Amino acid sequence: MEIRKLEAFLTIAATGTFTEAAEKLFISQSSLSKQMSQLEHELGVRLFKKTRNGVELTQAGYDFNSYAHRALPEYRNAVARLQLYREDNKYPLIVGALPLTDEYGISDCFSSYWVRNTSVQIEFIERSQENLIDKLRRHRVDLALIRLDLLDEEFDSTPLVTDELMFVCSVRNPLASLSKIDIRSLRNQQFIMLEQKSDITQLFQRACEAAGFFPSMPLHHSRHNMVIKAVQRGMGVSLLPRRLITTAHASDVVGIPLQDPLYSTLGFAWLADKPLNEVAQNFVSFIAEHLHNNTEKEA
């Protein structure tokens, strides 16, 4: 049985459709269907049955799903451990991150690590929060630098930095002169926010709902610098972490603290049932310590 078939099976089971699973795996739907037919033939049972909206697991599929969830991470862990015995002494580490390492000074920490650990072969990718969580679940990255605010018990994590969320508006906005702002006064504002599934947007949306209204958010973007540009042009207002506002160096926008503060924590996360190997542990510890030391120097 091929490992790629296990991964394909788990992806279909998680998404409930061959179409979405094929997109996540970057293969054609026909190729994915062929893999599942081969897997079912090898096992001698049907794993999926069709539904109105896609597919669902058969009883045999549920039993096999439990096995696959154990087998795939065990295989990945075994491969990672065996890398320690390679003659070229190159240890692979796949790290995913939100596109804000420069703003928080984390890219400097990464560089310092690479200089000191040339035997670690790092593959670094930047994606959205949703995409990185998906990659963690599918064992496509070893760990991810993401927002930890809404993570569930499926993940373990190490926090790196906590940042205050601030109301962002143009200096021409009548609210720009306030020193603090009550979230209830933002009921009629047009918000330009990060993508809908980002922790920042979800935290803000929950705070607004607790205050008795649902915010108008007609525009979303995956990059905070594009959100700030839209605010600069008077297209609306936003809510962003303080550090992302100050590092943008946009003199025509202001960040105003909320009367009842909201905070977001950035850090490393990984699957709880897939403990970090020694290389990954050392990487996380180095970045956390280096960032802490840099923050103390700045203070």
Side-chain angles (χ1 to χ4, degrees):
M1 187 183 302
E2 298 176 15
I3 288 298
R4 64 189 181 93
K5 291 178 183 176
L6 283 184
E7 182 180 15
F9 167 80
L10 288 173
T11 306
I12 298 169
T15 60
T17 71
F18 274 70
T19 302
E20 186 177 348
E23 290 176 355
K24 287 182 177 295
L25 294 168
F26 298 101
I27 62 176
S28 67
Q29 189 171 337
S30 61
S31 177
L32 182 59
S33 297
K34 183 177 179 181
Q35 286 186 37
M36 287 305 96
S37 295
Q38 292 172 346
L39 182 58
E40 289 180 331
H41 179 73
E42 291 174 30
L43 298 173
V45 295
R46 293 291 301 277
L47 298 174
F48 297 100
K49 58 183 177 182
K50 291 183 179 180
T51 66
R52 180 176 300 179
N53 298 319
V55 294
E56 63 181 26
L57 292 170
T58 62
Q59 186 57 53
Y62 277 111
D63 288 347
F64 186 69
N65 189 47
S66 177
Y67 162 77
H69 268 293
R70 297 192 307 272
L72 187 58
E74 285 179 3
Y75 171 80
R76 304 279 188 200
N77 287 338
V79 170
R81 288 195 301 271
L82 290 173
Q83 300 304 309
L84 301 177
Y85 299 99
R86 289 173 52 167
E87 292 183 0
D88 58 4
N89 292 324
K90 292 293 184 182
Y91 312 128
L93 181 63
I94 307 176
V95 181
L98 292 170
L100 39 68
T101 54
D102 285 341
E103 288 78 0
Y104 284 98
I106 299 174
S107 57
D108 290 338
C109 300
F110 283 5
S111 298
S112 296
Y113 175 85
W114 290 329
V115 168
R116 293 169 172 80
N117 298 272
T118 55
S119 62
V120 179
Q121 189 174 359
I122 297 180
E123 180 180 349
F124 179 77
I125 59 173
E126 289 188 336
R127 298 289 190 274
S128 68
Q129 176 99 358
E130 181 184 13
N131 186 280
L132 290 171
I133 288 175
D134 176 66
K135 287 187 180 299
L136 283 172
R137 286 177 173 147
R138 296 196 294 115
H139 308 279
R140 307 300 287 185
V141 296
D142 296 307
L143 63 154
L145 178 67
I146 57 178
R147 297 202 175 273
L148 309 179
D149 314 294
L150 304 178
L151 284 185
D152 56 30
E153 294 180 354
E154 182 182 1
F155 301 95
D156 282 338
S157 62
T158 293
L160 293 179
V161 59
T162 297
D163 204 353
E164 183 179 7
L165 305 186
M166 304 184 73
F167 173 72
V168 191
C169 67
S170 164
V171 293
R172 298 179 295 276
N173 190 299
L175 300 174
S177 60
L178 297 178
S179 58
K180 286 193 175 182
I181 195 160
D182 187 336
I183 200 168
R184 289 171 293 186
S185 67
L186 304 177
R187 182 184 301 269
N188 298 319
Q189 296 290 325
Q190 293 276 91
F191 278 87
I192 304 158
M193 296 296 295
L194 295 170
E195 53 195 354
Q196 291 181 326
K197 292 189 177 181
S198 75
D199 279 22
I200 301 299
T201 299
Q202 291 189 56
L203 287 171
F204 172 61
Q205 185 171 309
R206 293 181 184 188
C208 290
E209 290 174 357
F213 71 99
F214 190 85
S216 173
M217 298 185 290
L219 180 62
H220 294 267
H221 203 285
S222 60
R223 300 276 180 166
H224 67 274
N225 57 339
M226 296 303 295
V227 172
I228 292 176
K229 286 183 182 296
V231 172
Q232 286 178 296
R233 293 168 182 161
M235 297 172 64
V237 298
S238 189
L239 193 86
L240 291 171
R242 180 190 295 270
R243 189 67 177 261
L244 300 187
I245 302 167
T246 56
T247 55
H249 303 296
S251 59
D252 50 354
V253 301
V254 294
I256 305 171
L258 297 177
Q259 188 170 300
D260 297 315
L262 288 176
Y263 297 93
S264 177
T265 299
L266 188 70
F268 285 117
W270 58 92
L271 284 174
D273 62 0
K274 184 190 175 187
L276 296 180
N277 60 37
E278 184 178 351
V279 171
Q281 288 176 7
N282 290 340
F283 175 79
V284 170
S285 298
F286 179 93
I287 300 302
E289 182 178 356
H290 203 275
L291 185 62
H292 175 72
N293 291 340
N294 287 351
T295 302
E296 283 191 337
K297 290 178 183 178
E298 291 176 0

